[in-house]
Amino acid sequence: MKNIKIYEPAMCCDTGVCGPGVDQELLRMKSVNKVLEQHDDITIHRYNLTNSPESFMENELVTKLLQEEGPNVLPVTLVDNLVMKKGDYPDNEEWKKITGIAFTTEKEKKDVNTGGKCC
């Protein structure tokens, strides 16, 4: 079983997908999270610095990264307690390497359906 933990910077809510200016990367991560939660062989947890500061302090690796590199190290993605990515979220290709699950973006879906041509 893969155990994935994502330690994220401070956000206004658990997912960061709120307010008038929604970050598209956070929206993508919400979709990735939803897909991964459906797999019995994968556990995924996202920790927001605002809502779960104790989770950051409980993980010595994350605490050390924050002390050495500062808050710009976030987000940090751990897989089985090994750092897989820091400073950004894994892209869809990296998620495929980590989980074996292929993720596609809305643009990729449109390109497949339209042959890369608009309208």
Side-chain angles (χ1 to χ4, degrees):
M1 176 176 285
K2 288 205 183 297
N3 185 7
I4 301 169
K5 294 181 180 180
I6 303 172
Y7 293 84
E8 300 173 306
M11 293 185 272
C12 59
C13 62
D14 287 339
T15 63
V17 183
C18 53
V22 176
D23 182 334
Q24 292 302 309
E25 187 65 356
L26 292 174
L27 197 57
R28 183 183 69 84
M29 281 307 307
K30 183 174 175 151
S31 295
V32 166
N33 196 75
K34 189 174 182 177
V35 169
L36 294 178
E37 285 177 339
Q38 296 172 3
H39 290 266
D40 293 335
D41 58 340
I42 297 172
T43 60
I44 183 164
H45 299 282
R46 291 174 67 187
Y47 303 106
N48 176 325
L49 188 56
T50 302
N51 298 325
S52 305
E54 68 284 349
S55 297
F56 287 72
M57 295 184 323
E58 290 170 357
N59 188 301
E60 292 178 25
L61 180 57
V62 173
T63 300
K64 183 178 177 183
L65 285 170
L66 281 167
Q67 289 172 343
E68 292 176 355
E69 300 183 40
N72 289 336
V73 74
L74 300 175
V76 173
T77 301
L78 302 181
V79 178
D80 298 330
N81 213 34
L82 299 173
V83 176
M84 286 300 166
K85 186 140 188 183
K86 57 185 183 175
D88 204 357
Y89 294 100
D91 62 28
N92 290 348
E93 191 59 35
E94 290 168 319
W95 279 119
K96 184 177 179 182
K97 288 177 185 174
I98 292 168
T99 65
I101 300 167
F103 293 89
T104 55
T105 64
E106 288 303 313
K107 181 184 180 325
E108 290 168 335
K109 288 178 188 174
K110 287 178 186 174
D111 287 349
V112 167
N113 294 332
T114 65
K117 298 176 184 146
C118 178
C119 314

